[in-house]
Amino acid sequence: MTKPIKLCNISDYQSFIDKFDTFLLDCDGVLWKGNDVIPGVQESLSYMRKKGKKLLFVTNNSAKSRANYLEKFKKLNIEAYEDEIFGSSYASAYYLKNVLKFPKEKKIYIVGESGIADELALEGIRHCGFSDNMQTFKSDDIVSDPEVGAVICGIDHYVNYTKLAKALHYLKTNSDCIFLVTNDDATYPFKDYIAPGAGSIAASIIKALGREPDGIMGKPNKPMMDCIAQKFKLNNERTCMIGDRLETDVQFGINGGISTLAVLTGITAEKDFIVNDAPIVPDYYMSSFGDFSKLF
Ligand SMILES: O=C(O)[C@H](O)[C@H](O)COP(=O)(O)O
Ligand SMILES: [Mg+2]
């Protein structure tokens, strides 16, 4: 088993950055936790831009559209541009439009937030489910709607029984109704705690439905890489994925044939991959992406 290389000092940081032209940067747990920016992140990104590196922000968080994410970057005083941002809501809309060729006459029921609705709308795909955000459960609300051709589930801070019951009803009663999940992250790192992730929300529908989703869009899966590849031709030898979760970020890099750097500010701990039988091992790792700020 190849051992991951730990980046410990300024010369390690310098030689690592010089190896690559493009960095795919995860967001939750690498750049920030919730709305708390990880120390040194702005300076690290500025240094990379100063060295002429291409930066792409690749997040499984489907709560926001690319435009909304750009607002978050600005609010947190992090330089970013909309065409650098790839979220699982965008990857889902891209997949439904270009791969599934989702029929115009059908609509999608959303268990999730505005990111999914906004990106579907940009692709001209009809959707519903938003009005159920604050709904108190009433059995009469669970009615058939043959126009629902798909259910999509992502992170949803307003998830409720009505939404889960409607999603299950459409999937069970509408023939050929497909079930997509924006991402399978079990957890979601905040500054002082770990919260349930999109994968844990989708798990309640999966359990009730008795089958797995027809597709998971985000890292480590192909729809996210396809979404990036339609905009940027990556030179795999000179590209590195930087993330905080082994089974999404590092696996995404491995699947994509690019290098991987794990940081320890989010979900993954060193003990998760330093053992001999670790299933997923990054090429490199370091305590925090913010440590590159020492080069600034
Ligand atoms: O959906 C989730 O569980 C969270 O958004 C998760 O944190 C993924 O965000 P990422 O680390 O890919 O930015
Ligand atoms: Mg992350």
Side-chain angles (χ1 to χ4, degrees):
M1 179 203 94
T2 46
K3 280 263 183 227
I5 299 165
K6 186 171 186 177
L7 306 181
C8 304
N9 53 47
I10 287 194
S11 91
D12 291 347
Y13 303 156
Q14 190 65 69
S15 58
F16 170 80
I17 288 179
D18 291 346
K19 284 186 174 60
F20 304 104
D21 302 323
T22 304
F23 293 96
L24 273 55
L25 291 144
D26 174 44
C27 298
D28 290 336
V30 174
L31 305 182
W32 54 60
K33 290 192 266 192
N35 288 320
D36 296 289
V37 182
I38 289 164
V41 159
Q42 285 100 332
E43 297 82 355
S44 298
L45 292 172
S46 298
Y47 177 78
M48 286 183 159
R49 287 191 189 281
K50 199 172 71 174
K51 300 291 278 179
K53 306 302 178 183
K54 177 75 196 151
L55 304 181
L56 298 179
F57 300 102
V58 185
T59 176
N60 270 0
N61 191 320
S62 62
K64 290 177 172 44
S65 63
R66 288 160 291 166
N68 288 162
Y69 255 113
L70 189 61
E71 284 165 24
K72 176 167 182 172
F73 275 98
K74 285 192 177 127
K75 202 166 69 180
L76 298 179
N77 191 26
I78 300 176
E79 184 186 356
Y81 303 92
E82 190 165 329
D83 70 355
E84 295 175 333
I85 301 170
F86 293 84
S88 61
S89 47
Y90 177 39
S92 302
Y94 177 81
Y95 180 80
L96 279 152
K97 173 88 176 192
N98 299 290
V99 178
L100 280 188
K101 310 236 187 277
F102 191 73
K104 277 214 169 307
E105 68 278 8
K106 292 282 187 184
K107 63 186 176 187
I108 299 188
Y109 185 75
I110 298 172
V111 179
E113 301 189 27
S114 64
I116 302 175
D118 293 353
E119 293 288 3
L120 290 176
L122 283 173
E123 296 292 353
I125 297 174
R126 297 167 65 214
H127 54 83
C128 57
F130 249 50
S131 51
D132 297 331
N133 265 353
M134 305 314 285
Q135 201 80 319
T136 47
F137 180 68
K138 292 194 299 299
S139 188
D140 299 350
D141 287 340
I142 313 304
V143 294
S144 292
D145 182 346
E147 287 189 341
V148 174
V151 167
I152 188 163
C153 179
I155 191 71
D156 189 342
H157 297 83
Y158 310 97
V159 65
N160 59 39
Y161 195 71
T162 298
K163 296 175 98 168
L164 298 177
K166 282 190 173 183
L168 181 65
H169 185 59
Y170 297 136
L171 287 166
K172 287 178 83 71
T173 56
N174 291 5
S175 57
D176 303 332
C177 184
I178 57 168
F179 178 27
L180 298 179
V181 174
T182 61
N183 58 296
D184 201 24
D185 297 61
T187 52
Y188 185 167
F190 285 85
K191 185 163 174 269
D192 303 317
Y193 60 93
I194 303 278
S200 299
I201 292 173
S204 57
I205 301 172
I206 292 167
K207 177 82 173 170
L209 189 58
R211 70 175 178 84
E212 291 304 309
D214 299 299
I216 302 175
M217 303 291 102
K219 300 168 287 183
N221 304 298
K222 192 169 177 304
M224 180 66 98
M225 193 54 92
D226 289 350
C227 192
I228 296 169
Q230 52 110 15
K231 274 200 168 163
F232 294 102
K233 179 89 192 80
L234 299 176
N235 172 354
N236 285 7
E237 297 299 310
R238 301 280 300 171
T239 301
C240 186
M241 174 78 215
I242 301 177
D244 72 300
R245 190 188 290 269
L246 296 177
E247 67 275 21
T248 53
D249 304 314
V250 174
Q251 189 61 57
F252 182 66
I254 293 167
N255 293 351
I258 61 178
S259 298
T260 57
L261 166 70
V263 298
L264 307 178
T265 44
I267 297 297
T268 297
E270 188 173 12
K271 65 174 174 49
D272 297 330
F273 54 80
I274 212 70
V275 290
N276 281 335
D277 58 351
I280 304 172
V281 179
D283 297 308
Y284 304 90
Y285 73 103
M286 67 194 297
S287 306
S288 168
F289 175 72
D291 291 346
F292 286 133
S293 60
K294 296 184 177 96
L295 295 167
F296 192 61

